[in-house]
Amino acid sequence: MAENRSVKANLVSLQASAVAAAREAGALLRRHLHSVKRANEVTRHDIKLELDVRCQKLIERRLRRAFPAAAVVGEEGILGDPQAEHRWVVDPIDGTVNFSYQIPHACVSIALQRKGGGAATYEDGYETVAGVVYDPFCEETWTALQGKPAFLNGKRIHVGSRNKLAECVVSIGFTKSRESLEATLPYFSELARQVRKIRMMGSATLALVYVASGRFDAYIEREIRLWDIAAGGLILESAGGEFWRESTGAGYQFRMLASNGSLRRLLRIP
């Protein structure tokens, strides 16, 4: 309990450390956008880069210096106690395929979570208390602290107010499993006839913060991982949006429908 009080008092400082870590990793991404990439793993719909690991290690070093007691959970594995009172949730490159193909639409995502109750609690008992998303190619940094407003480059942001699908831009993600693809494709076809535009830009985290910023009106994904949504979900809620998600039972995997709060009854998860 004493640790929780101490962390709460230092959230601004911890968030600043996360911003610094994200920008340091982002600078590495920016330098290597047009470089030849070395892949550690290549699957039908995904690529894991050696640079993913380098960025993860860089972020881990800075975060562990700032908060040694916290674990680090992410796409590259778990560092520290998996049951720690606090954990950092990190995606060092969200949008890896984009980045691999020299498409400058990717970001660094860092969230701080703690065990406890609250409206933002995940099924395993953690809630996000701080979120940072950094796009090094557009030089955009989104931040939020639980219970506080969301910001983009220091300016307060809020979700859009569109409530008619015909006027909306909706992002939808296609994940890697065949089952998910087959379930999502018919809904994609249905939704495309109802909205102004559908966008699939290749970064789940950026889709979330684009909803938070009023650029998109909603984002739908049938299979998404914790590190893709932990920071962006808090930022969206802090910007007045609705971040609905449900565990699929697989490790750190969720179904998700994020929106400006006006569209929930008009949308569904395929």
Side-chain angles (χ1 to χ4, degrees):
M1 189 64 70
E3 182 187 343
N4 270 333
R5 287 197 296 269
S6 174
V7 171
K8 188 173 183 179
N10 288 293
L11 271 181
V12 172
S13 174
L14 291 171
Q15 184 187 61
S17 296
V19 169
R23 287 182 174 164
E24 191 174 349
L28 189 61
L29 297 185
R30 200 164 47 240
R31 288 198 303 272
H32 287 275
L33 177 63
H34 300 292
S35 302
V36 175
K37 314 296 191 300
R38 194 169 85 213
N40 287 344
E41 181 184 351
V42 179
T43 61
R44 180 70 180 85
H45 295 290
D46 204 7
I47 299 172
K48 305 298 183 190
L49 298 176
E50 175 271 339
L51 201 60
D52 276 295
V53 178
R54 286 172 60 190
C55 287
Q56 178 82 18
K57 296 301 182 186
L58 182 157
I59 292 167
E60 285 175 354
R61 285 195 298 271
R62 185 177 279 272
L63 296 182
R64 294 282 278 184
R65 284 200 303 268
F67 194 0
V72 182
V73 177
E75 196 167 18
E76 305 308 316
I78 300 174
L79 178 66
D81 179 6
Q83 299 302 316
E85 195 72 21
H86 291 84
R87 68 186 184 191
W88 296 102
V89 181
V90 175
D91 194 343
I93 311 176
D94 184 63
T96 307
V97 174
N98 281 352
F99 180 69
S100 300
Y101 280 68
Q102 300 184 22
I103 300 169
H105 188 78
C107 68
V108 182
S109 175
I110 302 174
L112 179 62
Q113 295 190 326
R114 71 177 172 212
K115 283 185 177 177
T121 302
Y122 285 79
E123 282 80 351
D124 63 355
Y126 285 88
E127 60 182 345
T128 306
V129 294
V132 172
V133 174
Y134 176 53
D135 178 348
F137 308 108
C138 292
E139 281 292 346
E140 292 187 318
T141 305
W142 288 265
T143 57
L145 296 174
Q146 187 185 55
K148 304 291 185 181
F151 296 90
L152 168 56
N153 288 349
K155 295 183 179 179
R156 187 170 178 174
I157 56 173
H158 199 275
V159 294
S161 58
R162 290 178 286 270
N163 57 17
K164 297 177 181 177
L165 285 183
E167 299 173 352
C168 290
V169 176
V170 176
S171 178
I172 189 166
F174 285 82
T175 45
K176 304 167 184 67
S177 72
R178 181 174 179 177
E179 178 190 1
S180 180
L181 286 169
E182 290 178 351
T184 305
L185 279 168
Y187 183 56
F188 175 87
S189 180
E190 172 191 331
L191 190 62
R193 294 173 171 86
Q194 299 178 57
V195 301
R196 174 151 287 156
K197 289 290 183 182
I198 285 183
R199 292 287 180 257
M200 294 189 306
M201 297 175 68
S203 168
T205 303
L206 287 178
L208 279 168
V209 295
Y210 276 27
V211 178
S213 306
R215 298 171 182 177
F216 291 166
D217 300 291
Y219 170 47
I220 302 164
E221 186 91 42
R222 194 169 184 270
E223 293 177 4
I224 197 76
R225 296 291 185 175
L226 175 66
W227 37 88
D228 298 313
I229 63 175
L234 176 66
I235 292 166
L236 172 60
E237 289 184 321
S238 300
E242 182 184 47
F243 175 49
W244 182 92
R245 75 275 180 194
E246 178 182 68
S247 174
T248 65
Y252 299 119
Q253 186 169 282
F254 298 84
R255 302 164 67 233
M256 183 204 66
L257 199 167
S259 76
N260 60 18
S262 302
L263 301 173
R264 181 75 175 91
R265 62 183 178 81
L266 302 176
L267 298 167
R268 64 181 177 86
I269 298 176

